[in-house]
Amino acid sequence: SDPATVSIFVAESLGPLDFRVLEAENPSAGDVYYQWTTTHDAFLTLEAIFDDAAGTAELALYNESCALLATSTLVGGSQRIDWSAGAEERYFLKLSGTNNDVDVRLANLVSHVGTDVTVHGTLGEDLFEFDAAASRLVTINGVAYLFTDAEAAFVSFDGGAGDDTAVLYGNDQDETAELWPGGGTLAGQGYDVEITGVEAITVHGRGDGEIGDLARLHDDDAAKDTLIGGPGAATLSGNGYANQVVDFHYVHAYGTTGDGDEAVLQGDANLKDRFDAWSNLAKLRAYNAEGALSSFIRALSFRDVRAEGTPGGDDVAHLNGAPGGIDTFIGGPSHGELSGNDDYSLRADSFRNVHAHGNAGDDDVATLNDDPGRFDELDASPGEVKLSGQEFLLRALAFRNVY
């Protein structure tokens, strides 16, 4: 009888696997083998990424008995296998071809049950992406999964350990985002996304919909936080987190009284801005030429709030004092600031019209400074003092003492 032929190969052990990238593998020198055990009851996705001008690459997946399960096909320019795997299952992978520079990416992070998609994080840095405009596109560390709308009504991602990032994109419908340190949600027509254990989150509303996208940003109630909000984007950040929303029509940011939180609200250079502020609440609105509201941002319980208008524009600011204390207003041609008892500070920079409102009966103080070298006009009456110049108006109402 003919002698038997026995093939022996040595497989590189990858240990327990959730995500791994093997760079610059060289199958042209001979087939390369790997083995591992899965971590999650989830898709096992294997990709060979290479320049096809430099040669070929193919993948073959085997079970623990070395029986062939699947071979790769071309998907998005790479050779790819997707296999439904259980947790703690053993697999082998063969990489073959003529290419001498192939990156092999292995992922066991995404599960799909019914209409729920669950994405697991790793112990390292993860990047999670979700796009509701492309049906339901879910991407983890560069590995993409496309679901239909019906297949992915609820998507969740837990970043786990590591410094993780999540980037979410809405569609052309009205959506609501709610973010807090370490997590958040995005809800739209027919879908919900939930994020936990993530240090940096960005949500793009795309600015469409009949009513307008709505975002709520919550602070860390045990530490100082900073809000920076301007045309098209707002970011609330603090100890170990940074959350941003982009192209949301309405933004509400929540600070914590006593934490010393700060907010900078930036106006739109192409629109007319109106800034209204009190000791615990500030609102900046932008209106188009027809007088329609274009954007709205509100900051609640921020101790220090500064709004930035547009030099030479026709922006308006109303700064309102706190009753029962002593409020101090200092205004000049380019700015106005109202503060009280070291409890709050409201400042309007580059607003043509600044109106400061004291409280009758309080011992409030206002100081109005003119524009040196130019002609300014002072108009005073009981309860109201106005100082105006070529490009500014300062108005103090209900201040007992005006200088």
Side-chain angles (χ1 to χ4, degrees), residues 84-401:
S84 294
E88 299 183 354
E89 293 180 346
R90 189 182 183 196
Y91 292 90
F92 293 89
L93 178 69
K94 180 178 74 172
L95 169 64
S96 58
T98 62
N99 203 302
N100 65 0
D101 186 6
V102 180
D103 292 343
V104 178
R105 187 160 57 187
L106 309 92
N108 178 224
L109 297 172
V110 177
S111 66
H112 179 221
V113 178
T115 60
D116 293 353
V117 175
T118 301
V119 183
H120 305 275
T122 70
L123 295 178
E125 297 182 359
D126 297 308
L127 172 60
F128 169 77
E129 299 168 273
F130 170 84
D131 193 337
S135 195
R136 301 290 183 260
L137 181 61
V138 174
T139 306
I140 178 67
N141 296 336
V143 183
Y145 301 84
L146 183 62
F147 300 95
T148 67
D149 294 358
E151 289 174 331
F154 179 74
V155 178
S156 65
F157 171 61
D158 184 350
D163 190 7
D164 304 314
T165 300
V167 182
L168 314 180
Y169 294 86
N171 54 29
D172 59 358
Q173 305 295 319
D174 293 324
E175 284 145 328
T176 300
E178 190 146 6
L179 306 179
W180 51 85
T185 60
L186 175 64
Q189 184 173 348
Y191 76 89
D192 290 278
V193 182
E194 182 179 279
I195 305 296
T196 56
V198 176
E199 287 70 27
I201 304 173
T202 299
V203 182
H204 297 261
R206 289 200 163 103
D208 298 314
E210 294 182 4
I211 299 175
D213 296 329
L214 168 67
R216 300 185 183 94
L217 302 177
H218 299 271
D219 76 333
D220 180 349
D221 60 8
K224 180 180 178 180
D225 306 279
T226 300
L227 170 69
I228 299 178
T235 301
L236 182 60
S237 59
N239 185 22
Y241 81 96
N243 292 333
Q244 181 183 59
V245 291
V246 180
D247 290 333
F248 276 76
H249 196 76
Y250 304 97
V251 178
H252 302 268
Y254 301 87
T256 300
T257 301
D259 278 358
D261 296 335
E262 298 178 351
V264 178
L265 310 183
Q266 301 164 330
D268 193 320
N270 300 311
L271 301 176
K272 183 175 181 178
D273 299 307
R274 173 165 175 148
F275 178 52
D276 292 277
W278 295 262
S279 60
N280 64 346
L281 169 65
K283 298 183 290 185
L284 180 63
R285 290 168 284 187
Y287 296 90
N288 62 23
E290 289 73 36
L293 182 65
S294 176
S295 64
F296 174 93
I297 183 168
R298 183 175 68 149
L300 295 93
S301 299
F302 284 77
R303 187 190 66 184
D304 302 312
V305 180
R306 175 165 56 91
E308 299 174 348
T310 303
D314 196 25
D315 300 330
V316 178
H318 286 267
L319 311 180
N320 300 273
I326 298 177
D327 300 304
T328 301
F329 175 68
I330 300 176
S334 63
H335 72 278
E337 183 172 3
L338 180 65
S339 59
N341 297 334
D342 294 326
D343 292 329
Y344 75 94
S345 173
L346 308 172
R347 183 181 175 99
D349 287 340
S350 300
F351 281 76
R352 179 186 289 268
N353 307 283
V354 179
H355 306 266
H357 302 262
N359 292 278
D362 290 349
D363 201 19
D364 299 334
V365 179
T367 302
L368 310 182
N369 299 285
D370 68 348
D371 191 348
R374 292 192 175 186
F375 177 78
D376 301 303
E377 181 177 347
L378 178 68
D379 185 2
S381 62
E384 179 179 357
V385 178
K386 294 188 292 184
L387 178 64
S388 59
Q390 185 175 347
E391 294 184 352
F392 77 95
L393 168 66
L394 298 172
R395 183 165 168 251
L397 298 97
F399 282 79
R400 174 173 290 178
N401 307 287

Side-chain angles (χ1 to χ4, degrees), residues 12-22 104-108:
E12 178 184 354
S13 177
L14 305 180
L17 174 77
D18 55 5
F19 180 79
R20 185 84 175 265
V21 177
L22 306 172
V104 178
R105 187 160 57 187
L106 309 92
N108 178 224

